[in-house]
Amino acid sequence: MTGTLPYMSIANLDELAIKRTSLDDWESLIYILCWLGTFGINDQDEKSVDTSKHLPIKAWAEGNAESSAISKRNQMLSMAFVPNIVSKILTLPGYGFLQNLLDDLRRCLFENEKLSPFGRGTFEMTQFELSRSKTSFEEQTKGFLDEHLDKNILDPFARRAEFEKKISDDLWAVMADAQQQALERIRQQQQQQQQ
């Protein structure tokens, strides 16, 4: 395992026995953008140690790989991401767009609606949870990209890895949209400066 804890994908941190794909790189990009958005890109924007020591994102860098992975698994869930990570993005000019971009990238990677519930999230569904479900595995995966995957593959990271190209295409579309929005902001700023 190599890399810097705050930026490593969960699969790399946990040394999961699944193939590494570009999705690990996309996940790392999300963490890098979260980190830079929270702590600043340069010395002028940087948060002080006192104001940042209690931020949930700090757990990504403290401790070991296991604790970093646990923190990321919990914070990448939709109910935790906005209050714990996105809401802590700097409110300085030039940072605001990151909030929507990060949430869009996270949703696309971790909660992609083209995948069944088994391909979403950061935690493996247990056999117990499956047995309590009122609908069969086949019914829950029908119509989704992963409907023909082996039903013994319950790890969402492994399921997503099988559809790397399609998910990467979705992530590229999110980035292309963000690029268009950024170009529009630049154009509007230039128009305002000319007036």
Side-chain angles (χ1 to χ4, degrees):
M1 172 176 56
T2 61
T4 305
L5 285 181
Y7 314 131
M8 291 174 66
S9 71
I10 294 168
N12 281 328
L13 288 166
D14 279 345
E15 298 185 82
L16 298 178
I18 60 173
K19 67 181 178 181
R20 298 300 179 260
T21 69
S22 64
L23 299 181
D24 291 288
D25 298 330
W26 281 105
E27 186 179 341
S28 291
L29 175 64
I30 292 170
Y31 300 139
I32 290 167
L33 293 174
C34 287
W35 196 266
L36 292 174
T38 302
F39 296 107
I41 295 172
N42 56 47
D43 292 341
Q44 296 166 320
D45 300 345
E46 197 171 288
K47 282 187 182 176
S48 72
V49 173
D50 291 336
T51 59
S52 65
K53 67 181 175 185
H54 297 294
L55 293 173
I57 196 172
K58 292 285 279 190
W60 297 0
E62 296 169 351
N64 58 23
E66 181 182 8
S67 64
S68 181
I70 289 169
S71 177
K72 288 177 181 179
R73 281 183 187 273
N74 289 320
Q75 291 173 1
M76 287 299 113
L77 297 173
S78 60
M79 62 193 146
F81 188 67
V82 172
N84 290 339
I85 305 300
V86 172
S87 69
K88 309 301 187 222
I89 298 292
L90 293 170
T91 55
L92 298 170
Y95 287 88
F97 74 94
L98 275 176
Q99 293 179 335
N100 289 335
L101 174 61
L102 286 168
D103 199 35
D104 289 347
L105 288 170
R106 183 202 57 79
R107 269 187 281 134
C108 191
L109 181 61
F110 292 109
E111 294 178 11
N112 195 307
E113 293 182 358
K114 294 179 182 175
L115 296 173
S116 74
F118 302 101
R120 299 181 201 159
T122 59
F123 291 97
E124 186 173 314
M125 195 170 285
T126 65
Q127 290 295 335
F128 176 72
E129 290 170 317
L130 280 174
S131 68
R132 296 191 63 204
S133 176
K134 294 182 179 170
T135 57
S136 70
F137 180 87
E138 290 75 15
E139 290 172 308
Q140 292 182 59
T141 59
K142 187 174 182 171
F144 292 102
L145 286 176
D146 56 338
E147 75 177 304
H148 298 294
L149 276 185
D150 184 334
K151 67 180 182 180
N152 293 317
I153 301 174
L154 297 176
D155 185 321
F157 294 95
R159 292 186 80 80
R160 284 193 293 268
E162 295 298 320
F163 301 96
E164 170 191 10
K165 171 79 171 95
K166 291 180 190 267
I167 296 171
S168 288
D169 289 346
D170 292 346
L171 289 159
W172 277 116
V174 168
M175 292 300 286
D177 185 49
Q179 178 188 25
Q180 290 303 315
Q181 291 174 24
L183 291 172
E184 179 60 25
R185 282 192 303 277
I186 291 168
R187 188 186 63 71
Q188 288 173 357
Q189 287 173 351
Q190 288 171 341
Q191 284 179 343
Q192 288 173 353
Q193 289 171 352
Q194 291 173 355
Q195 293 176 356

